[in-house]
Amino acid sequence: MIKKFICVFVTAALLFSLCSCGEKETDGESIVGLWKYELNGKYRDAITEVIVDERVYVDIYYQFNEDGTGRSYASDGSFDRDFTYVYSNGVITITSDGYSFDQKCKLGKNTLTVHDDIENEDVVFIRQETKG
């Protein structure tokens, strides 16, 4: 469980912590907004009493702004990083601290799906409602 947490955390950090304004929409869906990945979300209720190590329950957030800037952070404060991005043709290019990273993704109405090559599985981020 801890190994999976570390792999997902590292993949997510690499994906979004590593751009300039670009296309923000594909097929009418916009990447702009706040996205959340619940680590072990589907198992959280069942394992809370068994595993008390809070690191296995960290939520990861990504905020994509209209101007091509963004921020990634963890709910436990273990990381918080600003970045710039370009989204075009199903690829997000993230740049932070001089490093760039391309990640293929699929954007749905309320989902952003990226593939974790380390675990060979899809990681699904859910669009969050923002108070306006």
Side-chain angles (χ1 to χ4, degrees):
M1 190 66 65
I2 295 296
K3 180 183 174 198
K4 183 172 183 169
F5 164 76
I6 291 169
C7 287
V8 169
F9 186 78
V10 168
T11 299
L14 287 174
L15 169 64
F16 291 107
S17 67
L18 290 180
C19 293
S20 1
C21 293
E23 181 181 342
K24 309 292 186 306
E25 299 183 11
T26 298
D27 298 328
E29 298 300 334
S30 175
I31 196 169
V32 172
L34 180 64
W35 301 86
K36 174 183 174 182
Y37 173 69
E38 286 186 350
L39 184 61
N40 297 314
K42 61 185 175 184
Y43 307 111
R44 195 173 286 190
D45 291 338
I47 63 176
T48 300
E49 293 183 25
V50 179
I51 301 174
V52 294
D53 186 344
E54 293 181 9
R55 293 177 298 172
V56 301
Y57 310 113
V58 173
D59 295 329
I60 300 170
Y61 294 89
Y62 295 94
Q63 174 68 47
F64 293 96
N65 301 317
E66 188 72 39
D67 65 358
T69 63
R71 175 178 170 230
S72 60
Y73 59 96
S75 60
D76 68 351
S78 59
F79 77 90
D80 189 335
R81 183 158 288 132
D82 293 324
F83 59 84
T84 57
Y85 74 95
V86 173
Y87 176 70
S88 182
N89 299 319
V91 177
I92 303 171
T93 302
I94 305 273
T95 302
S96 180
D97 299 327
Y99 297 98
S100 290
F101 183 80
D102 292 336
Q103 177 67 50
K104 290 182 182 179
C105 64
K106 181 178 179 184
L107 182 61
K109 182 176 180 181
N110 291 310
T111 60
L112 175 62
T113 305
V114 296
H115 188 74
D116 177 355
D117 290 329
I118 296 170
E119 291 290 317
N120 195 29
E121 65 184 15
D122 287 338
V123 176
V124 180
F125 291 83
I126 305 298
R127 185 183 300 276
Q128 302 298 294
E129 294 292 322
T130 55
K131 296 177 183 176

